[in-house]
Amino acid sequence: MNQDATELSATGMDFSLSEEHLMIKDMARDFAKNELLPGVIERDENQKFPKELINRMGELGFFGMMADPQYGGGGLDAISYVLAMEEIAKVDASAAVMMSVNNSLVCWGLQEFGSEAQKEKYLTPLAKGEVIGAFCLSEPEAGSDATSQKTTAVDMGDHYLLNGTKNWITNGSTASTYLVFAQTDASKRTHGINVFIVEKNTPGFSIGPKENKLGIRGSDTHSLMFTDVRVPKENRIGADGFGFTFAMKTLAGGRIGIAAQALGIASGAFERSVAYAKERKTFGKPIADHQSIQFKLADMNTQIEAARLLTLKAAWLKDTHQDYVTASSTAKLFASKVAMDTTIEAVQIHGGYGYVREFHVERMMRDAKITQIYEGTSEIQKIVISRALLK
Ligand code: CAA
C-alpha cells in the first residue's frame, strides 16, 4: 500500500451515509413529492407561497435543522442539511431558499454569535419554524462589494437609530426577524459595520413591493426601508464592529446551503430528463436509445456527482470543525454552474415540451440562474478561492 492510501484508510474515508442520514433524505424526498410538488407551478406563476405550507415546513423541522435542540432546533449535522436541501430543491427551489436563509444564515449566525438572551428570544422561535428570518446585507449599491454599506446605525446610548435601504431580501415580507447590517463608523471600514436584530413591526421599518423575478418566484424578495428605526442596544450581535466578520462567517456556511440547492435543481432536472427520455419516442424508438441523448445524460450525471461530492465535502469539513471557507465557495461555484448547464440540457432533451410550464424543466432552468448570483456571485467565489490559494 502506498503512503497516500495508508493515510486515506487511517482517516477512515467513507462515502456511505448513516441510517439517520438516509432517513432524513427519505423524509425530505417524501415531503417534497407529496406536499411541495402539487402547486409548484402555480406558486411560480403567482409568486405566492402559502403560509400553511411554510408552517408545515416549520412543523417538520426544516427551518432549524442544525440549531441546538436546547433552542428548539433539530441538532442535526450539515450533511443532513445538505441531503434535505437537495431533495427539497429537486422539486421546489423557492422552498429551498427560504430554508437555506433561515437555517444557515439566520439560525446558525444567532446560535454561534448571539447572546444567551438573543438566543432565547429570537433563535428559539426561528429554529422551531414558528417564525422566519431574513438576512439583510445587500443594498442598492452594495451587493458583491458588501463592505460599502450605506445603511447607518447611530449610537444613541441605549439604542441605535437605523437609516437606509436593503435590496433583494429573501423572505422579505414573510420574515418576522431581520438581521440587518449597518455602518456605525465608516472610517473603520469593515470594522465599523454591525449587525442588528430588527423585529418586523418596529416603527420606521417598511417593506417595499415584491420583486418580479426570473426564477425562484415562489420565494418573496423585497427591498426594505429603515427610517429612524430604534433598535435596542441589546439587539446588536457581538462586540462593536463585529458585523462584517459575522456576515463572512455566516455566508461561508450559507454557501454550502446554496450549493445544495443548486445540486437539487440539477438532480431534479436530471431525474425528469431520464424519465422523459425513456418515455418519449422519435424515429420509432425511445429517445433514450439515441446516443446523442445517452451522452447528454452521462455528462449530466458526471457533473452532478462531482457537485454532490464537493458539497458533501464542504458539509463534512464544517461538521468536523475544519476550515470550510474555500470548500464552500468551491462547492457553490461548481454546483451552481452544474445547475445552469444541466437544466439547459434538460430543456433541450425535453424539446418543445421542455419549453412549457407543465414539464417543470423550464422553471428549473430559470431557478438555476440565481444560484450563480446570490450569497456571493460566481466571481466572488473565485475571489475567495484564489485569495486562499495565493495567501
Ligand atoms: N471569516 C472571517 N473573516 C473574514 C472572512 C471569513 N470567511 N472573509 C473575510 N474576512 C475578514 C477579512 O479577514 C478582513 O478582515 P480585516 O479587515 O481585519 O483584515 C475583512 O473580513 C474584510 O475582508 P476583505 O479585505 O477580504 O474584504 P473585501 O472588501 O475585499 O471583500 C468579499 C471580501 C469576499 C468580496 C466580500 O465582500 C464578499 O463576500 N462579498 C459578497 C457578499 C455576498 O455574498 N452577498 C450575498 C448577500 S446575502 C444573500 O444573498 C442572502 C439571500 O437572501 C439569499
Side-chain angles (χ1 to χ4, degrees):
M1 203 184 269
N2 66 28
Q3 178 70 25
D4 284 348
T6 314
E7 273 171 18
L8 283 180
S9 81
T11 56
M13 194 165 192
D14 183 356
F15 288 96
S16 55
L17 294 171
S18 70
E19 288 280 313
E20 192 186 12
H21 287 143
L22 290 169
M23 250 173 54
I24 288 158
K25 187 176 166 65
D26 286 349
M27 195 272 253
R29 192 179 176 94
D30 289 347
F31 169 72
K33 190 171 145 227
N34 299 329
E35 301 187 48
L36 288 177
L37 184 58
V40 66
I41 293 172
E42 290 72 22
R43 292 195 294 277
D44 171 68
E45 232 161 58
N46 304 330
Q47 300 201 82
K48 281 202 181 116
F49 203 96
K51 183 88 181 74
E52 307 78 61
L53 201 47
I54 299 177
N55 292 345
R56 179 85 181 122
M57 289 181 73
E59 278 162 24
L60 291 172
F62 286 120
F63 286 130
M65 293 186 71
M66 293 175 290
D68 194 324
Q70 184 189 342
Y71 303 106
L76 297 167
D77 58 11
I79 290 185
S80 304
Y81 169 59
V82 163
L83 296 171
M85 277 289 294
E86 181 183 349
E87 294 305 326
I88 301 287
K90 267 184 195 177
V91 174
D92 187 343
S94 295
V97 73
M98 288 181 217
M99 204 176 135
S100 179
V101 167
N102 206 67
N103 275 283
S104 42
L105 298 181
V106 181
C107 285
W108 188 83
L110 280 170
Q111 171 147 325
E112 285 296 303
F113 307 112
S115 67
E116 201 45 50
Q118 289 169 348
K119 288 185 204 181
E120 270 167 33
K121 184 169 178 191
Y122 296 107
L123 173 61
T124 304
L126 284 162
K128 285 183 178 167
E130 292 168 356
V131 298
I132 298 285
F135 185 85
C136 316
L137 177 67
S138 300
E139 298 187 351
E141 292 173 66
S144 290
D145 183 8
T147 313
S148 297
Q149 295 284 304
K150 298 277 189 299
T151 298
T152 54
V154 179
D155 190 340
M156 307 295 283
D158 64 339
H159 67 275
Y160 285 91
L161 261 195
L162 254 65
N163 280 285
T165 302
K166 295 288 169 181
N167 258 25
W168 312 294
I169 304 303
T170 304
N171 301 338
S173 71
T174 316
S176 299
T177 304
Y178 298 78
L179 303 188
V180 182
F181 294 83
Q183 189 72 253
T184 41
D185 185 347
S187 68
K188 292 187 184 159
R189 297 269 304 155
T190 53
H191 297 280
I193 293 173
N194 275 293
V195 56
F196 303 93
I197 306 167
V198 180
E199 295 179 20
K200 187 177 215 157
N201 294 320
T202 313
F205 172 23
S206 59
I207 300 168
K210 186 181 281 190
E211 298 291 351
N212 188 4
K213 308 192 296 285
L214 172 74
I216 55 160
R217 288 167 57 84
S219 80
D220 73 313
T221 310
H222 293 256
S223 51
L224 307 175
M225 278 73 74
F226 300 86
T227 310
D228 289 337
V229 173
R230 273 174 81 112
V231 180
K233 211 147 207 184
E234 64 264 23
N235 280 23
R236 189 187 74 207
I237 302 177
D240 188 20
F242 179 66
F244 195 76
T245 307
F246 179 94
M248 293 299 106
K249 284 188 181 278
T250 47
L251 281 166
R255 288 164 185 163
I256 302 177
I258 301 303
Q261 182 198 26
L263 170 64
I265 296 170
S267 55
F270 173 72
E271 286 179 10
R272 286 191 175 277
S273 300
V274 171
Y276 180 82
K278 288 181 183 165
E279 243 172 51
R280 170 75 170 158
K281 289 198 173 79
T282 59
F283 306 102
K285 56 186 179 184
I287 61 168
D289 288 354
H290 298 305
Q291 200 176 52
S292 61
I293 300 294
Q294 292 166 355
F295 281 11
K296 278 191 198 300
L297 294 174
D299 281 341
M300 288 157 92
N301 188 56
T302 305
Q303 297 288 307
I304 290 168
E305 196 57 22
R308 187 176 289 117
L309 288 174
L310 284 175
T311 308
L312 286 170
K313 183 183 171 194
W316 172 79
L317 287 169
K318 184 165 187 278
D319 287 335
T320 52
H321 311 291
Q322 300 181 67
D323 186 349
Y324 56 90
V325 174
T326 312
S328 74
S329 282
T330 308
K332 182 185 182 287
L333 174 66
F334 189 77
S336 59
K337 174 144 181 20
V338 170
M340 205 60 250
D341 294 350
T342 305
T343 53
I344 288 173
E345 284 297 61
V347 171
Q348 190 69 18
I349 289 171
H350 282 73
Y353 291 105
Y355 209 64
V356 296
R357 297 275 150 98
E358 290 72 16
F359 283 74
H360 297 273
V361 287
E362 63 81 32
R363 184 187 72 253
M364 293 169 160
M365 184 177 79
R366 289 185 283 107
D367 288 347
K369 187 60 206 168
I370 192 63
T371 65
Q372 294 185 302
I373 299 173
Y374 59 22
E375 298 206 20
T377 59
S378 295
E379 291 74 15
I380 291 293
Q381 307 314 323
K382 288 181 194 180
I383 291 178
V384 174
I385 297 164
S386 57
R387 279 185 184 173
L389 293 175
L390 298 170
K391 115 173 141 192

